[in-house]
Amino acid sequence: MEIDLGDITAELYHVESPHSEDCVCILIRQERVLFIGDAVGVDYYNNCFLDKEKLRSLITSIEGFDFDICVMGHAEPMSKDNILHIMHSLLERQENV
């Protein structure tokens, strides 16, 4: 879905996420910013479970977006490289558990 905000268009994408079934990322191409909210978080409705397959799917989605800055729900904005590094590190920790 796209929302025309005048000089800026917000592109909304439903992505698979370990946090919830209704995760939506918002890409502002003109600003090269991606908003992901709490997409990287655990599933609080399922005993804080982290689904590794859903995290892998989210990583693939994030890698496919063309952006420079990522805005998360509870952290400072960061670069694409940084958010992907965090997500890969989280995946590696879960695979070693």
Side-chain angles (χ1 to χ4, degrees), residues 23-51:
C23 183
V24 174
C25 292
I26 302 168
L27 178 64
I28 309 295
R29 276 190 205 277
Q30 296 90 337
E31 300 295 326
R32 299 188 53 79
V33 175
L34 180 68
F35 295 85
I36 66 170
D38 291 341
V40 180
V42 297
D43 183 350
Y44 290 108
Y45 299 103
N46 190 13
N47 201 27
C48 294
F49 176 70
L50 179 64
D51 187 316

Side-chain angles (χ1 to χ4, degrees), residues 5-86:
L5 301 171
D7 292 337
I8 291 179
T9 301
E11 299 175 21
L12 286 68
Y13 295 91
H14 178 262
V15 296
E16 191 168 38
S17 160
H19 185 65
S20 67
E21 297 297 322
D22 59 352
C23 183
V24 174
C25 292
I26 302 168
L27 178 64
I28 309 295
R29 276 190 205 277
Q30 296 90 337
E31 300 295 326
R32 299 188 53 79
V33 175
L34 180 68
F35 295 85
I36 66 170
D38 291 341
V40 180
V42 297
D43 183 350
Y44 290 108
Y45 299 103
N46 190 13
N47 201 27
C48 294
F49 176 70
L50 179 64
D51 187 316
K52 293 178 285 219
E53 292 306 315
K54 288 182 179 181
L55 181 56
R56 280 190 194 91
S57 178
L58 179 62
I59 290 170
T60 299
S61 294
I62 298 296
E63 288 172 337
F65 290 118
D66 187 20
F67 68 96
D68 296 324
I69 301 297
C70 179
V71 180
M72 299 186 350
H74 302 283
E76 294 294 318
M78 63 183 67
S79 70
K80 182 176 185 175
D81 287 341
N82 282 353
I83 187 61
L84 287 171
H85 175 74
I86 289 169

